[in-house]
């Protein structure tokens, strides 16, 4: 057996306000991009991309075509990694967790 028995679980899913918007106030663009990339570990590229898009729109910056292509590639890699992680977790959620202590090899 791994862990402990959960007798009662009340999951509360939804938006949690963390005050991130206020942390951005007064930051330089370089500081802001670092914070944006750290908001969500599963979506680091997506949050950094969104921040970069907003900053570029505000400063009227023209982004090179190569940068746009690299961003698209990184976003797709992140999306695939998230999907593969979710698929891998399905087995664990279905009770097929691997117990290394009882394995023979």
């Amino acid at each position: 057996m791994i862990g402990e028995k959960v007798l009662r679980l009340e999951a509360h899913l939804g938006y949690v306000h963390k005050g991130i918007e206020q942390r951005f106030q007064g930051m330089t663009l370089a500081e802001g991009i670092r914070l944006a990339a750290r908001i969500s570990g599963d979506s680091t590229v997506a949050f950094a991309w969104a921040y970069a898009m907003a900053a570029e729109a505000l400063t009227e910056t023209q982004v090179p075509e190569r940068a746009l292509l690299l961003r698209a590639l990184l976003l797709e890699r992140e999306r695939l990694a998230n999907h593969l992680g979710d698929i891998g977790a399905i087995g664990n959620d279905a009770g097929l967790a691997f117990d290394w202590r009882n394995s023979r090899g």
Side-chain angles (χ1 to χ4, degrees):
M1 182 168 139
I2 298 174
E4 58 193 49
K5 291 183 181 180
V6 177
L7 302 177
R8 182 176 171 187
L9 175 66
E10 293 181 26
H12 298 281
L13 304 175
Y15 177 77
V16 176
H17 183 72
K18 299 177 183 177
I20 298 290
E21 309 89 11
Q22 291 178 346
R23 294 201 55 202
F24 280 105
Q25 293 177 0
M27 287 188 165
T28 65
L29 288 176
E31 292 168 339
I33 194 71
R34 283 192 288 277
L35 177 59
R38 288 173 172 81
I39 291 173
S40 171
D42 291 342
S43 303
T44 296
V45 177
F47 278 91
W49 171 76
Y51 184 86
M53 293 274 296
E56 290 157 2
L58 287 171
T59 59
E60 298 180 358
T61 301
Q62 294 295 325
V63 181
E65 184 73 21
R66 187 174 194 290
L68 295 173
L69 293 172
L70 288 172
R71 288 179 186 176
L73 176 67
L74 291 172
L75 283 164
E76 280 302 302
R77 288 184 64 177
E78 182 174 78
R79 186 182 67 81
L80 286 171
N82 286 334
H83 284 306
L84 290 173
D86 291 343
I87 291 169
I90 290 172
N92 187 53
D93 293 345
L96 302 174
F98 178 74
D99 185 358
W100 60 272
R101 293 176 293 185
N102 293 327
S103 66
R104 296 188 178 120

